[in-house]
Amino acid sequence: MHAVIYLNKTMVDATKARVAPVSSAMLYGRGVFTTLAVHNGCPFLWSKHWSRLVDHAGKLSIEIAGLTEKSIGQALEKLLAVNQVEQGRARVILLARGGRDSWKTKTLGGPKTDLLIMTSDPQPARSQGLTLAVSPYRFNTFSALAGIKSLNYLDQVLSWEEAHTRDFDEAVMLNERGEIVSTTMANIFWVKDGTVHTPNLNTGAIAGVTRATVIELAEKQFIPVVEGIYEMGDLTDADEIFLTSASLGVAIITTFDFRQYALTAGSIGARLRESFQALTRTAC
C-alpha cells in the first residue's frame, strides 16, 4: 500500500489516519468497498465501480448524501497523482458512522459516512498461470450480505489463507447447496466445448465489474456465455478455467487440484485476456 491515503477530503499519511472507534463500521462492519485497477494513471471502469458501490451502500443503509461519482472520482485522481500511480490498484471504502445500533455515540455533526481511498502497486502477474484448489468453507446465500462487497470479508480472507497453506493461489468456494459461487477473491469462468460458463449471481456470487466486462467482450466475439447453476462436476470436466477481478484482470488457471491445463495462445481464455488487456491500454 502507498504511503498517502485520502480520508474525508484530506490527504494524510496512512500511519497517522484516524477514524471513529465507536461507529457502525468498526463495531458491526457496516461498510462497503470496491477495488479497481489503475491503468495509465486513470481509474479503470470507475463509473461502473461507482454504480455498484452506490447499490451496495443502499442495501446496507449507508448514507452517501454529498458523495457523488464526480467528487469521489476527482479525489481518487488526486490521490493517484500524489502517490504517482501509473499502473496499480485503488480501493474506495465507505465506512458508516451510525445505524440502528445498540452501541453508538451522540453525533455532533459532521459526515455520517467516512470516505477512505487507498492505492497500491499492481498485483504481481503470474505468467505461468494460477493454481486452484477447492475451499472447505462455504458461502451462505441466506445471509443479508450475500453478493455484497462489504467490510465483512473475513470468510473470503480465511478461505484464501487456507488455500495458501496448501500452496495454491486461489480456491473455489461453494454455497450451502453445493453450487459453485466464485473463488475467494475473484469471479470464475470455465470453457466446455467452446461455450463459456460462469455461476449465476443467485448463487451468491458478487457482480464483478471485470466479470461483466469480460462477458461483454465474449459476446462481441460471438463466444457463447451461459450464466447458470453448476456443481463441482461441471468444473472438473472443463476444458479450461480462468478468473476475473479488478486486481487480476483475466487470469488463466493452469492447475486445478491435480488437473493440469496448458497455456494455449488460441484458447478462449487467452483470447478474452488479450481483448481485456487491449481495453486497459485505452483507459484514459
Side-chain angles (χ1 to χ4, degrees):
M1 190 176 106
H2 297 143
V4 178
I5 66 172
Y6 183 95
L7 179 62
N8 295 335
K9 300 182 179 181
T10 305
M11 302 284 182
V12 296
D13 186 316
T15 61
K16 299 177 181 178
R18 300 291 182 268
V19 294
V22 181
S23 68
S24 197
M26 294 295 291
L27 295 177
Y28 306 109
R30 192 188 298 270
V32 292
F33 74 95
T34 191
T35 300
L36 58 153
V38 178
H39 297 290
N40 308 316
C42 297
F44 187 55
L45 301 174
W46 165 239
S47 182
K48 293 182 179 180
H49 280 277
W50 169 251
S51 295
R52 187 182 63 186
L53 197 63
V54 170
D55 178 54
H56 289 186
K59 291 177 179 178
L60 299 189
S61 300
I62 297 172
E63 179 63 62
I64 62 168
L67 301 175
T68 66
E69 176 185 341
K70 182 179 179 180
S71 65
I72 298 182
Q74 290 173 339
L76 176 54
E77 289 176 353
K78 289 178 182 178
L79 182 62
L80 293 175
V82 168
N83 285 330
Q84 300 181 344
V85 183
E86 281 295 313
Q87 307 294 329
R89 294 173 287 169
R91 177 165 292 192
V92 179
I93 309 169
L94 301 179
L95 303 164
R97 288 197 177 185
R100 295 177 180 175
D101 307 331
S102 58
W103 292 84
K104 62 177 67 178
T105 58
K106 293 182 179 180
T107 58
L108 300 175
K112 294 183 178 179
T113 300
D114 290 310
L115 168 63
L116 171 61
I117 309 175
M118 58 184 70
T119 62
S120 178
D121 293 332
Q123 186 164 325
R126 294 287 298 274
S127 58
Q128 71 272 33
L130 300 181
T131 58
L132 185 65
V134 179
S135 175
Y137 309 128
R138 301 236 170 164
F139 276 111
N140 174 20
T141 59
F142 293 100
S143 170
L145 299 175
I148 296 176
K149 292 205 77 164
S150 77
L151 297 186
N152 294 262
Y153 217 61
L154 195 55
D155 277 345
Q156 288 90 331
V157 170
L158 292 175
S159 296
W160 183 84
E161 290 177 347
E162 190 279 333
H164 277 245
T165 65
R166 294 186 280 143
D167 294 323
F168 287 94
D169 297 309
E170 258 289 7
V172 179
M173 295 192 71
L174 310 178
N175 62 24
E176 76 282 354
R177 298 186 294 269
E179 300 163 351
I180 298 170
V181 179
S182 64
T183 64
T184 67
M185 304 286 178
N187 290 111
I188 187 168
F189 292 79
W190 63 92
V191 180
K192 181 64 180 176
D193 297 330
T195 297
V196 175
H197 300 269
T198 193
N200 189 285
L201 298 182
N202 291 335
T203 62
I206 288 175
V209 171
T210 307
R211 173 187 184 272
T213 302
V214 168
I215 290 174
E216 291 175 3
L217 290 172
E219 291 173 346
K220 289 179 180 177
Q221 297 182 40
F222 303 102
I223 299 171
V225 179
V226 178
E227 300 178 65
I229 305 298
Y230 300 101
E231 297 181 350
M232 281 304 304
D234 298 297
L235 186 59
T236 57
D237 197 35
D239 298 325
E240 54 181 298
I241 305 171
F242 59 93
L243 310 182
T244 65
S245 73
S247 295
L248 292 172
V250 178
I252 308 297
I253 296 297
T254 52
T255 300
F256 174 37
D257 270 352
F258 301 103
R259 299 166 185 81
Q260 302 293 318
Y261 302 87
L263 278 169
T264 306
S267 68
I268 288 177
R271 286 161 52 194
L272 290 173
R273 178 176 63 179
E274 183 178 336
S275 297
F276 185 80
Q277 289 173 343
L279 196 63
T280 67
R281 289 193 287 271
T282 59
C284 290

